[in-house]
Amino acid sequence: QLQLVDSGGGLVQPGGSLRLSCAASGFTLDDYTIGWFRQAPGKEREGLSSISSRDVSADYADSVKGRFTISRDNARNTVYLQMNNLKPEDTAVYYCAAKSGWYPSLGINLYRYWGQGTQVTVSS
């Protein structure tokens, strides 16, 4: 059974950092394009970052470019989202997701497998 487990959320002060993890079971993450998404209360889910299978390329939303970095650790079958200089508007539930195909994408509807979400709260 293919499963994604995302973790690493928490409470952090503005300007702080968190690293989210997306661990896979039942399949090899490097065979899939992985995306990170978030959903704030009352808002639609938005795409933040995506890394293609085999690390060919990555993509970022303008709202997080320069602050967030996506990466893989194939030995741990895990994808990470390093988040720096966090702002209160980054508060949301964060999800990782997987899709087949070689190219990164922030298109939510393209992703088939989803993690359960991890809460990130940025507040002083």
Side-chain angles (χ1 to χ4, degrees), residues 15 21 36 42 49 51 56 65 70 72 77 79 82 91-92 94-95 99 104 106 119:
S21 299
W36 280 99
S49 182
I51 187 167
V56 173
K65 199 172 293 184
I70 193 170
R72 292 182 184 269
N77 208 26
V79 171
Q82 177 67 42
T91 296
Y94 284 66
Y95 302 87
K99 73 174 189 70
L106 302 182
Q119 175 71 46

Side-chain angles (χ1 to χ4, degrees):
Q1 182 177 357
L2 278 64
Q3 187 176 11
L4 292 173
V5 177
D6 31 35
S7 62
L11 173 64
V12 63
Q13 292 186 344
S17 298
L18 282 175
R19 188 178 75 163
L20 305 183
S21 299
C22 176
S25 62
F27 65 106
T28 301
L29 268 185
D30 200 32
D31 291 337
Y32 289 79
T33 291
I34 306 300
W36 280 99
F37 303 83
R38 69 185 178 192
Q39 188 164 18
K43 294 188 176 181
E44 294 186 352
R45 192 169 298 190
E46 64 170 324
L48 304 175
S49 182
S50 175
I51 187 167
S52 67
S53 58
R54 307 292 188 260
D55 282 352
V56 173
S57 59
D59 194 14
Y60 295 90
D62 288 342
S63 58
V64 303
K65 199 172 293 184
R67 299 190 299 126
F68 291 10
T69 303
I70 193 170
S71 63
R72 292 182 184 269
D73 184 339
N74 291 332
R76 290 180 168 80
N77 208 26
T78 300
V79 171
Y80 301 101
L81 186 68
Q82 177 67 42
M83 306 188 297
N84 299 327
N85 190 23
L86 284 162
K87 306 174 182 180
E89 52 264 41
D90 294 319
T91 296
V93 178
Y94 284 66
Y95 302 87
C96 67
K99 73 174 189 70
S100 59
W102 292 99
Y103 301 101
S105 173
L106 302 182
I108 294 170
N109 294 332
L110 298 176
Y111 287 81
R112 179 177 180 184
Y113 306 104
W114 289 82
Q116 81 286 358
T118 184
Q119 175 71 46
V120 171
T121 302
V122 184
S123 175
S124 55

